[in-house]
Short mmCIF file of all heavy atoms in Angstrom, two decimals:
data_model
loop_
_atom_site.label_atom_id
_atom_site.label_comp_id
_atom_site.label_asym_id
_atom_site.label_seq_id
_atom_site.Cartn_x
_atom_site.Cartn_y
_atom_site.Cartn_z
N ASP A 201 -19.02 6.70 -24.58
CA ASP A 201 -17.74 6.39 -23.94
C ASP A 201 -16.59 6.49 -24.94
O ASP A 201 -15.48 6.92 -24.60
CB ASP A 201 -17.78 5.00 -23.32
CG ASP A 201 -18.22 3.92 -24.31
OD1 ASP A 201 -18.85 4.26 -25.33
OD2 ASP A 201 -17.94 2.73 -24.05
N GLN A 202 -16.85 6.11 -26.22
CA GLN A 202 -15.81 6.19 -27.23
C GLN A 202 -15.42 7.63 -27.54
O GLN A 202 -14.29 7.91 -27.94
CB GLN A 202 -16.25 5.46 -28.50
CG GLN A 202 -16.41 3.96 -28.31
CD GLN A 202 -16.44 3.21 -29.62
OE1 GLN A 202 -15.81 3.61 -30.60
NE2 GLN A 202 -17.17 2.10 -29.65
N VAL A 203 -16.36 8.54 -27.36
CA VAL A 203 -16.06 9.96 -27.58
C VAL A 203 -15.00 10.43 -26.60
O VAL A 203 -13.99 11.04 -26.99
CB VAL A 203 -17.35 10.80 -27.44
CG1 VAL A 203 -17.01 12.29 -27.41
CG2 VAL A 203 -18.30 10.50 -28.60
N LEU A 204 -15.20 10.13 -25.31
CA LEU A 204 -14.21 10.54 -24.31
C LEU A 204 -12.88 9.84 -24.55
O LEU A 204 -11.81 10.46 -24.47
CB LEU A 204 -14.71 10.23 -22.91
CG LEU A 204 -13.72 10.60 -21.79
CD1 LEU A 204 -13.51 12.11 -21.72
CD2 LEU A 204 -14.17 10.06 -20.44
N LEU A 205 -12.91 8.54 -24.87
CA LEU A 205 -11.67 7.81 -25.11
C LEU A 205 -10.90 8.39 -26.30
O LEU A 205 -9.67 8.49 -26.26
CB LEU A 205 -11.98 6.34 -25.36
CG LEU A 205 -12.34 5.52 -24.12
CD1 LEU A 205 -12.97 4.20 -24.51
CD2 LEU A 205 -11.12 5.29 -23.25
N ALA A 206 -11.62 8.76 -27.35
CA ALA A 206 -10.96 9.35 -28.52
C ALA A 206 -10.25 10.64 -28.14
O ALA A 206 -9.10 10.88 -28.53
CB ALA A 206 -11.98 9.61 -29.63
N LYS A 207 -10.93 11.48 -27.36
CA LYS A 207 -10.31 12.74 -26.92
C LYS A 207 -9.04 12.49 -26.12
O LYS A 207 -8.00 13.12 -26.34
CB LYS A 207 -11.30 13.54 -26.07
CG LYS A 207 -12.50 14.12 -26.81
CD LYS A 207 -13.36 14.90 -25.82
CE LYS A 207 -14.52 15.60 -26.47
NZ LYS A 207 -15.31 16.38 -25.49
N ILE A 208 -9.13 11.55 -25.18
CA ILE A 208 -7.98 11.27 -24.31
C ILE A 208 -6.82 10.69 -25.12
O ILE A 208 -5.66 11.09 -24.96
CB ILE A 208 -8.39 10.32 -23.18
CG1 ILE A 208 -9.35 11.04 -22.21
CG2 ILE A 208 -7.17 9.82 -22.42
CD1 ILE A 208 -9.92 10.14 -21.12
N CYS A 209 -7.13 9.74 -26.02
CA CYS A 209 -6.06 9.09 -26.80
C CYS A 209 -5.38 10.05 -27.77
O CYS A 209 -4.26 9.79 -28.21
CB CYS A 209 -6.63 7.90 -27.56
SG CYS A 209 -7.10 6.51 -26.50
N LEU A 210 -6.06 11.14 -28.12
CA LEU A 210 -5.44 12.17 -28.97
C LEU A 210 -4.66 13.19 -28.16
O LEU A 210 -3.87 13.95 -28.72
CB LEU A 210 -6.52 12.89 -29.78
CG LEU A 210 -7.11 12.13 -30.97
CD1 LEU A 210 -8.32 12.87 -31.52
CD2 LEU A 210 -6.07 11.96 -32.07
N HIS A 211 -4.88 13.20 -26.85
CA HIS A 211 -4.34 14.27 -26.01
C HIS A 211 -3.14 13.84 -25.17
O HIS A 211 -2.25 14.65 -24.90
CB HIS A 211 -5.45 14.78 -25.08
CG HIS A 211 -5.03 15.90 -24.16
ND1 HIS A 211 -4.94 17.20 -24.58
CD2 HIS A 211 -4.67 15.89 -22.84
CE1 HIS A 211 -4.55 17.96 -23.56
NE2 HIS A 211 -4.37 17.18 -22.50
N THR A 212 -3.09 12.55 -24.77
CA THR A 212 -2.11 12.14 -23.77
C THR A 212 -1.66 10.70 -23.99
O THR A 212 -2.42 9.91 -24.57
CB THR A 212 -2.71 12.27 -22.35
OG1 THR A 212 -1.73 11.98 -21.35
CG2 THR A 212 -3.89 11.33 -22.17
N PRO A 213 -0.47 10.33 -23.54
CA PRO A 213 -0.08 8.92 -23.57
C PRO A 213 -0.99 8.08 -22.69
O PRO A 213 -1.44 8.52 -21.62
CB PRO A 213 1.36 8.93 -23.03
CG PRO A 213 1.84 10.33 -23.25
CD PRO A 213 0.65 11.21 -23.08
N VAL A 214 -1.26 6.86 -23.12
CA VAL A 214 -2.14 5.94 -22.39
C VAL A 214 -1.40 4.63 -22.17
O VAL A 214 -0.81 4.08 -23.10
CB VAL A 214 -3.45 5.69 -23.18
CG1 VAL A 214 -4.30 4.63 -22.47
CG2 VAL A 214 -4.23 6.99 -23.34
N PHE A 215 -1.46 4.13 -20.94
CA PHE A 215 -0.81 2.85 -20.61
C PHE A 215 -1.86 1.76 -20.62
O PHE A 215 -2.89 1.86 -19.97
CB PHE A 215 -0.15 2.91 -19.24
CG PHE A 215 0.64 1.66 -18.90
CD1 PHE A 215 1.92 1.49 -19.40
CD2 PHE A 215 0.09 0.66 -18.11
CE1 PHE A 215 2.65 0.34 -19.10
CE2 PHE A 215 0.81 -0.49 -17.81
CZ PHE A 215 2.10 -0.64 -18.31
N VAL A 216 -1.59 0.68 -21.39
CA VAL A 216 -2.49 -0.46 -21.46
C VAL A 216 -1.91 -1.57 -20.58
O VAL A 216 -0.84 -2.10 -20.86
CB VAL A 216 -2.68 -0.95 -22.90
CG1 VAL A 216 -3.61 -2.16 -22.93
CG2 VAL A 216 -3.25 0.16 -23.76
N ASP A 217 -2.61 -1.86 -19.50
CA ASP A 217 -2.17 -2.87 -18.54
C ASP A 217 -2.64 -4.25 -18.98
O ASP A 217 -3.62 -4.38 -19.71
CB ASP A 217 -2.75 -2.52 -17.16
CG ASP A 217 -2.18 -3.38 -16.05
OD1 ASP A 217 -1.07 -3.90 -16.23
OD2 ASP A 217 -2.85 -3.53 -15.01
N GLY A 218 -1.97 -5.27 -18.53
CA GLY A 218 -2.34 -6.62 -18.90
C GLY A 218 -3.27 -7.30 -17.91
O GLY A 218 -3.70 -8.43 -18.13
N ASN A 219 -3.59 -6.62 -16.79
CA ASN A 219 -4.38 -7.24 -15.73
C ASN A 219 -5.83 -6.78 -15.77
O ASN A 219 -6.14 -5.65 -16.14
CB ASN A 219 -3.77 -6.89 -14.37
CG ASN A 219 -2.38 -7.45 -14.20
OD1 ASN A 219 -2.17 -8.64 -14.26
ND2 ASN A 219 -1.40 -6.57 -14.00
#
Side-chain angles (χ1 to χ4, degrees):
D201 53 340
Q202 294 197 32
V203 169
L204 179 66
L205 284 166
K207 291 181 176 182
I208 292 175
C209 290
L210 284 170
H211 180 80
T212 185
V214 175
F215 185 81
V216 179
D217 188 24
N219 297 300

